[in-house]
Coordinates of all heavy atoms in Angstrom, one line a residue:
L207 N 48.3 -2.5 40.4 CA 47.6 -1.7 39.3 C 46.7 -2.5 38.5 O 45.7 -2.1 38.1 CB 48.7 -1.0 38.5 CG 48.2 -0.2 37.3 CD1 47.3 0.9 37.8 CD2 49.4 0.4 36.5
P208 N 47.0 -3.8 38.2 CA 46.1 -4.6 37.3 C 44.7 -4.8 37.9 O 43.8 -5.0 37.2 CB 46.8 -6.0 37.3 CG 48.3 -5.7 37.5 CD 48.4 -4.5 38.4
V209 N 44.5 -4.6 39.2 CA 43.2 -4.6 39.8 C 42.3 -3.5 39.2 O 41.2 -3.8 38.7 CB 43.2 -4.3 41.3 CG1 41.8 -4.2 41.9 CG2 43.9 -5.5 42.0
A210 N 42.9 -2.3 39.0 CA 42.2 -1.2 38.4 C 42.0 -1.5 36.9 O 40.9 -1.2 36.3 CB 42.9 0.1 38.6
I211 N 43.0 -2.0 36.2 CA 43.0 -2.2 34.8 C 42.0 -3.2 34.5 O 41.1 -3.1 33.5 CB 44.4 -2.6 34.2 CG1 45.5 -1.6 34.5 CG2 44.3 -3.0 32.7 CD1 45.2 -0.2 34.0
F212 N 42.0 -4.3 35.1 CA 41.0 -5.4 34.9 C 39.6 -5.0 35.3 O 38.7 -5.4 34.5 CB 41.4 -6.7 35.8 CG 42.4 -7.6 35.2 CD1 43.7 -7.1 35.0 CD2 42.1 -8.9 34.9 CE1 44.7 -8.0 34.4 CE2 43.1 -9.8 34.3 CZ 44.4 -9.3 34.1
G213 N 39.4 -4.1 36.3 CA 38.1 -3.6 36.6 C 37.6 -2.8 35.5 O 36.4 -2.8 35.1
L214 N 38.5 -1.9 34.9 CA 38.1 -1.0 33.9 C 37.6 -1.9 32.7 O 36.6 -1.6 32.1 CB 39.2 -0.1 33.5 CG 39.4 1.2 34.3 CD1 40.7 1.9 33.8 CD2 38.2 2.1 34.1
V215 N 38.4 -2.8 32.3 CA 38.1 -3.6 31.1 C 36.8 -4.4 31.4 O 35.9 -4.4 30.4 CB 39.3 -4.7 30.9 CG1 38.8 -5.7 29.9 CG2 40.5 -3.9 30.5
A216 N 36.5 -4.9 32.5 CA 35.3 -5.6 32.8 C 34.1 -4.7 32.8 O 33.1 -5.1 32.1 CB 35.3 -6.2 34.2
V217 N 34.2 -3.5 33.3 CA 33.1 -2.5 33.3 C 32.7 -2.1 31.9 O 31.6 -2.1 31.5 CB 33.3 -1.3 34.2 CG1 32.3 -0.3 34.1 CG2 33.4 -1.8 35.7
V218 N 33.8 -1.7 31.1 CA 33.6 -1.2 29.7 C 33.0 -2.3 28.9 O 32.1 -2.1 28.1 CB 34.9 -0.7 29.2 CG1 34.7 -0.4 27.7 CG2 35.4 0.5 29.9
T219 N 33.5 -3.6 29.1 CA 33.0 -4.8 28.3 C 31.5 -4.9 28.5 O 30.8 -5.1 27.6 CB 33.8 -6.0 28.7 OG1 35.1 -5.8 28.4 CG2 33.3 -7.2 27.9
V220 N 31.1 -4.9 29.8 CA 29.7 -5.2 30.1 C 28.8 -4.0 29.6 O 27.7 -4.2 29.1 CB 29.4 -5.5 31.6 CG1 29.5 -4.2 32.4 CG2 28.1 -6.2 31.8
L221 N 29.3 -2.8 29.7 CA 28.5 -1.6 29.2 C 28.4 -1.7 27.7 O 27.3 -1.4 27.2 CB 29.2 -0.4 29.6 CG 29.1 0.0 31.1 CD1 29.9 1.3 31.3 CD2 27.7 0.3 31.5
V222 N 29.4 -2.1 27.0 CA 29.3 -2.3 25.5 C 28.4 -3.5 25.2 O 27.5 -3.4 24.3 CB 30.7 -2.5 24.9 CG1 30.6 -2.9 23.4 CG2 31.6 -1.3 25.1
A223 N 28.5 -4.6 25.9 CA 27.7 -5.8 25.6 C 26.3 -5.5 25.9 O 25.4 -6.2 25.3 CB 28.2 -7.0 26.4
T224 N 25.9 -4.7 26.8 CA 24.5 -4.4 27.1 C 24.0 -3.1 26.7 O 23.0 -2.7 27.1 CB 24.3 -4.4 28.8 OG1 25.2 -3.4 29.3 CG2 24.7 -5.8 29.3
G225 N 24.7 -2.6 25.7 CA 24.3 -1.3 25.1 C 24.2 -0.2 26.0 O 23.2 0.5 26.1
G226 N 25.3 0.0 26.8 CA 25.4 1.1 27.7 C 24.7 0.8 29.0 O 24.4 1.7 29.8
G227 N 24.3 -0.5 29.3 CA 23.7 -0.9 30.5 C 22.2 -0.6 30.5 O 21.5 -0.6 31.5
R228 N 21.6 -0.2 29.3 CA 20.2 0.2 29.3 C 19.3 -0.9 29.5 O 18.2 -0.8 30.1 CB 19.9 0.9 28.0 CG 20.6 2.3 27.8 CD 20.3 2.9 26.5 NE 20.8 4.3 26.4 CZ 22.1 4.5 26.2 NH1 22.9 3.6 26.1 NH2 22.5 5.8 26.2
N229 N 19.6 -2.2 29.1 CA 18.8 -3.3 29.4 C 17.3 -3.1 29.1 O 16.4 -3.3 29.8 CB 19.0 -3.7 30.9 CG 18.7 -5.2 31.1 OD1 18.5 -6.0 30.1 ND2 18.7 -5.5 32.4
R230 N 17.1 -2.6 27.8 CA 15.7 -2.3 27.4 C 14.9 -3.6 27.5 O 15.3 -4.7 27.3 CB 15.7 -1.8 25.9 CG 16.5 -0.5 25.8 CD 16.4 -0.1 24.3 NE 17.2 1.2 24.1 CZ 18.5 1.2 23.8 NH1 19.1 0.0 23.7 NH2 19.1 2.3 23.6

Side-chain angles (χ1 to χ4, degrees):
L207 177 60
V209 172
I211 302 299
F212 276 62
L214 276 175
V215 172
V217 173
V218 171
T219 299
V220 77
L221 287 176
V222 171
T224 59
R228 290 177 174 80
N229 207 3
R230 298 182 181 90

